[in-house]
Every structure is written in structure tokens, then in C-alpha cells.
Amino acid sequence: MVEFKNVSVVYPGGVDALHRINLKINDGDFAFVVGSSGAGKSTLIKLILKEVNPTEGEVCVNGYNLSTLKKRKIPELRRTIGVVFQDFRLIPTMTVYDNVAFVLRVIDAPQKYIRSRVPYVISLVGLTHKAKAYPSDLSGGEQQRVALARALVNDPQLIIADEPTGNIDPALSYEIVDLLKGINACGTTVLMVTHEHDIVRHFGGRIININAGTIAFDEVIGGGNEG
Ligand code: ADP
């Protein structure tokens, strides 16, 4: 669950990036976050990850009150969140398998768990046949699916996808959102930032529109994918 109560962010220099935001995303929700460049979308995401602190107001994420969260507890918060970036951020010298396994190795997960969990999440994104490939051997869409497997491997409560289709062929973009929808159907909360109006219109659902640091609207719209 993500909750913003009266949250403002003023950056050094006086930029009023977010202004008195109230927002609640319940467990199991899927929401698109849209808005023009500079509207405050990245700031919203950075608040959820506690990369930025609010100037006023309170942010709660997955049971953590971020205002009172000790610095040493921040990694614990972040382990409840999987993040997918526009530029994939895979490690080029590691295979698909190792890119995903790496997340579990750094937290000292048991070998046995790694050996069962990693192939499972790679299969969820349909890349079992590419497990031994390197990122440079994959298409943009496939690389983003690896990034999605990596975000999922630690079984997070929340997935944040920051413009995940920005570097992908439009036809393959829908597959990525379909995967996110499938992950959401299994109970994971998904927050997807996007510029792509076609995608939002196609899938529909909850749309949070940020404009100049405020929520311009937060509504559920019907998708156009039925017909
Ligand atoms: P978006 O992700 O929607 O493009 P951002 O959250 O990145 O918007 O930015 C919101 C506003 O805050 C913009 O005016 C931007 O220039 C400003 N901003 C973002 N990060 C910083 C920073 N570290 N220091 C100062 N201003 C910033």
C-alpha cells in the first residue's frame, strides 16, 4: 500500500516539484501515472523509494512510515519494491540467469532457493530459452522482460515501472504491459509511469495524472482492448 498525506517537495533552489499531494494506492491495485515532463512523476517515485524526503506531509509504503524510518531500515523497505527502468539497467557481462540471480545473491538467499526461484521468474516472463544469453544478444523487449524478472525475483509487494516501454518497439510494448497486468492479477501492486497515451487508452484502469506538481485527475477509465 502507498499513501501520500498532504505531501509537498520543494527542491533546493526553490523548485516546487510536488504540492500537497494526497494519494492512496491499495494493495493489488494497478495504476498508470501520466503527466508531461517536469510534472513531478519522478519525484513521486523517489518519495516512495525514500530517495527524496518530503518537505511537508507523510508517505507510507508497504507498512513503513517513511517519515520515521531509520536510515538502516531503508534497504528493508526497498526490498518490498521491484523497480523497472526505461533503460533496463542490466549488467552486460552477466547472463540473463545471473542478472536475475544477482538480486538474491546480494541478500545471501539460500542456494537452493536461488536455483528454484530464478528459473521460475525467468519462465514467468517467457525467457527460459534465453537464460544463458547476454543482454546484448536480446531485443529491447526481451531485455525489459529480464528487468521485469529481476524486479520480481524477490517477490515484492509493489512493482514500480518507470516508463518501461520507452525504449521498446511499440508492438512489443503491449507485451510488457500485458506481463505487468498478469503480475498484478497474481496480487502484486503495480504503478506504471508512462508517456504513451495509446497504451493508457488501450488498457484503461486507474489513471493518475500529475500536472505541475499536483494531481490533475485520478480516475478509472474503460480500456479499448475489448473490441
Ligand atoms: P517528471 O518526472 O514528471 O519529469 P520531476 O519529478 O523529475 O518530473 O521534476 C519535477 C520538477 O522538479 C521539475 O521542475 C524539475 O526540474 C525539478 N527537479 C527535479 N529534480 C530536481 C533536483 N534534484 N533539484 C532541483 N529541481 C529538481
Side-chain angles (χ1 to χ4, degrees):
M1 202 256 274
V2 176
E3 190 166 14
F4 284 65
K5 291 182 202 158
N6 212 23
V7 173
S8 301
V9 173
V10 181
Y11 282 113
V15 180
D16 205 0
L18 288 177
H19 192 69
R20 300 210 166 147
I21 296 281
N22 287 291
L23 179 66
K24 192 168 178 183
I25 296 154
N26 287 315
D27 287 340
D29 279 2
F30 187 110
F32 287 112
V33 176
V34 301
S36 54
S37 184
K41 305 181 298 298
S42 304
T43 303
L44 191 89
I45 287 175
K46 286 177 182 163
L47 283 165
I48 295 172
L49 294 164
K50 203 168 162 65
E51 289 175 4
V52 161
N53 290 313
T55 313
E56 66 167 342
E58 201 171 273
V59 181
C60 295
V61 178
N62 299 339
Y64 296 89
N65 181 334
L66 306 200
S67 315
T68 55
L69 189 71
K70 298 267 190 304
K71 214 171 177 178
R72 65 185 163 79
K73 290 272 195 182
I74 294 175
E76 195 180 301
L77 159 79
R78 292 185 184 154
R79 281 201 290 275
T80 69
I81 307 168
V83 191
V84 176
F85 303 95
Q86 180 174 6
D87 56 358
F88 322 132
R89 303 199 191 173
L90 301 175
I91 300 168
T93 53
M94 284 187 186
T95 62
V96 166
Y97 183 96
D98 286 332
N99 263 283
V100 178
F102 183 67
V103 176
L104 295 178
R105 289 181 181 137
V106 296
I107 59 164
D108 275 331
Q111 274 300 330
K112 202 175 160 198
Y113 179 68
I114 297 176
R115 279 198 297 268
S116 66
R117 179 75 185 162
V118 174
Y120 172 67
V121 291
I122 291 175
S123 76
L124 284 184
V125 300
L127 285 179
T128 301
H129 61 298
K130 298 275 185 182
K132 290 182 181 156
Y134 287 86
S136 57
D137 302 327
L138 305 177
S139 70
E142 287 170 335
Q143 288 186 60
Q144 193 58 297
R145 285 196 268 156
V146 179
L148 202 47
R150 181 185 55 189
L152 277 174
V153 75
N154 210 9
D155 198 18
Q157 286 171 251
L158 168 69
I159 294 268
I160 294 175
D162 191 1
E163 303 254 7
T165 61
N167 281 327
I168 296 176
D169 217 293
L172 299 177
S173 295
Y174 287 83
E175 285 180 13
I176 294 293
V177 187
D178 276 332
L179 276 171
L180 286 167
K181 284 277 182 183
I183 290 160
N184 174 247
C186 295
T188 308
T189 312
V190 176
L191 203 56
M192 173 172 159
V193 176
T194 185
H195 266 117
E196 293 176 63
H197 296 289
D198 286 352
I199 287 184
V200 173
R201 270 195 296 272
H202 176 83
F203 288 95
R206 182 172 175 191
I207 321 291
I208 300 164
N209 185 319
I210 315 276
N211 181 33
T214 62
I215 296 181
F217 68 82
D218 180 355
E219 286 166 19
V220 176
I221 63 160
N225 55 344
E226 285 89 16

